[in-house]
Amino acid sequence: MKNQFLEEAKRELVNGHSKKRHPFRYFVLATNENGKPMQRTVVLRKTLLDLSLVFYTDNRTQKIKDIQNNPECSALFYNPKKLLQIRVEGKAELITDEGQIATYWHTIQESSKKDYTTNIAPGTPIKNPDNVDYNPKENHFCPVKLIPNTIEYLQLKRPNHLRILFSRIDTDWSGEFLVP
């Protein structure tokens, strides 16, 4: 019975990157910066067969430093129409294989590629937001893969909410019901 909910979570995560307006397209990524939780919204770019999640960032961001210092992360997805929340916890890994990086880079719209070519790092204070300089000859593109250890499924419904924690053991997933 629990497997149908894991399958639904998989479908929703795949739809998050394959259907442009799906609410799972954007998710909240939490990292740890010196013992302090840091959250930001990122774009789900791919859900791999092992349920790893891929997102892109600039390699000079604080989230990259956070991941390098502590790869433990969590991702939070919410679908307001279905009242469905999926929480994924695992380890983030920077994708360093040049072939994979090139493959992901080619999936980005040309107009969006400039987001990875600013002369100064994201988060750097500036006086005027209209005066950001770009260097199209150099990019700081970094795909990141979040490899899940657990996936928590929470369906808000009446008469009873449904909450299931799925844990990965090697390549298999085991689920247990939790009090919502």
Side-chain angles (χ1 to χ4, degrees):
M1 177 181 169
K2 292 176 222 148
N3 282 348
Q4 76 187 57
F5 300 106
L6 181 59
E7 290 304 314
E8 181 185 357
K10 286 180 188 178
R11 268 192 316 278
E12 293 293 322
L13 290 168
V14 167
N15 287 340
H17 69 81
S18 63
K19 295 186 176 181
K20 204 158 184 81
R21 300 215 185 283
H22 193 281
F24 281 16
R25 183 164 183 80
Y26 301 96
F27 68 95
V28 176
L29 175 73
T31 59
N32 184 312
E33 182 185 349
N34 303 319
K36 191 170 76 174
M38 299 299 288
Q39 300 173 306
R40 77 282 284 155
T41 302
V42 295
V43 179
L44 178 61
R45 301 296 185 161
K46 188 91 175 148
T47 304
L48 304 177
L49 290 175
D50 69 354
L51 294 180
S52 290
L53 309 174
V54 177
F55 62 92
Y56 306 155
T57 190
D58 183 303
N59 62 17
R60 302 167 295 170
T61 62
Q62 182 62 46
K63 73 176 95 43
I64 292 296
K65 293 177 186 130
D66 294 349
I67 289 167
Q68 289 170 330
N69 289 330
N70 180 354
E72 297 290 333
C73 295
S74 71
L76 184 66
F77 299 84
Y78 185 67
N79 185 330
K81 287 185 180 155
K82 293 185 175 183
L83 300 177
L84 176 64
Q85 174 182 286
I86 303 290
R87 189 166 50 108
V88 179
E89 292 183 354
K91 289 191 177 186
E93 226 175 62
L94 307 185
I95 295 173
T96 57
D97 177 81
E98 293 298 325
Q100 281 186 296
I101 293 170
T103 298
Y104 286 129
W105 179 250
H106 291 299
T107 65
I108 301 172
Q109 293 178 9
E110 285 303 315
S111 60
S112 296
K113 287 183 177 180
K114 77 175 184 108
D115 297 337
Y116 304 99
T117 66
T118 58
N119 282 332
I120 56 176
T124 303
I126 55 176
K127 297 221 182 299
N128 184 340
D130 294 327
N131 293 343
V132 175
D133 294 319
Y134 299 91
N135 180 358
K137 292 184 171 89
E138 182 181 5
N139 76 67
H140 301 279
F141 176 71
C142 183
V144 179
K145 177 168 64 170
L146 175 54
I147 304 161
N149 298 324
T150 63
I151 296 175
E152 187 177 293
Y153 174 104
L154 175 63
Q155 175 70 64
L156 302 175
K157 62 180 189 150
R158 293 291 175 220
N160 298 313
H161 302 319
L162 178 64
R163 185 174 173 192
I164 307 167
L165 179 64
F166 294 98
S167 300
R168 189 201 328 250
I169 301 153
D170 298 320
T171 58
D172 293 324
W173 289 90
S174 170
E176 64 180 333
F177 292 108
L178 301 175
V179 175

